[in-house]
Amino acid sequence: MSKTERVSEKIRYQRFLIFSEQSGICFACGEPMSITEMELAHRISQSKVNLKLWGEAVIHHRMNLRGTHPGRCNSKVSLNPDSLEAEKLVYDIQKALKKAKDRRFGR
């Protein structure tokens, strides 16, 4: 399996998990949506600045993603990267990543 195929499979799996966790309800508007129309919205955007500042592991982490309708609903979930809420989200993701790493290495 190529790297592109592995990435695509990971995204499909994340979409399924997020759709299931949200019970098929749009995070932004609270209306039902189908898994085929659902978009993955980044709470902290995947801009070059944010990717450089926090890294792909944080920006593409499941805790930073929400399922939404396309368009307006997608943009409604964005956080100001300088906000306390974004800072807490990054902290929580980094903590989860460290915990997962520690489990992998038996710490």
Side-chain angles (χ1 to χ4, degrees), residues 5-102:
E5 290 170 324
R6 284 192 306 273
V7 169
S8 293
E9 185 61 30
K10 183 179 177 182
I11 292 169
R12 277 195 296 278
Y13 182 65
Q14 278 191 329
R15 286 177 58 81
F16 173 76
L17 286 177
I18 289 168
F19 183 81
S20 298
E21 288 169 357
Q22 293 179 203
S23 303
I25 303 298
C26 175
F27 183 80
C29 72
E31 295 294 320
M33 62 184 169
S34 70
I35 195 164
T36 55
E37 73 178 319
M38 182 185 84
E39 286 187 348
L40 291 179
H42 288 78
R43 308 277 332 271
I44 300 170
S45 75
Q46 55 182 333
S47 69
K48 287 182 182 181
V49 171
N50 290 340
L51 284 165
K52 186 175 181 177
L53 184 61
W54 291 305
E56 286 189 22
V58 169
I59 296 301
H60 298 306
H61 194 276
R62 205 167 97 221
M63 291 169 65
N64 190 41
L65 299 172
R66 296 293 184 268
T68 67
H69 289 110
R72 242 181 32 188
C73 286
N74 187 304
S75 61
K76 286 182 182 178
V77 303
S78 295
L79 295 174
N80 176 341
D82 297 326
S83 70
L84 290 176
E85 188 176 1
E87 193 175 305
K88 180 174 180 348
L89 178 58
V90 169
Y91 172 81
D92 290 344
I93 293 170
Q94 288 172 333
K95 189 174 170 182
L97 289 169
K98 183 181 181 328
K99 188 175 181 179
K101 182 180 177 183
D102 288 348

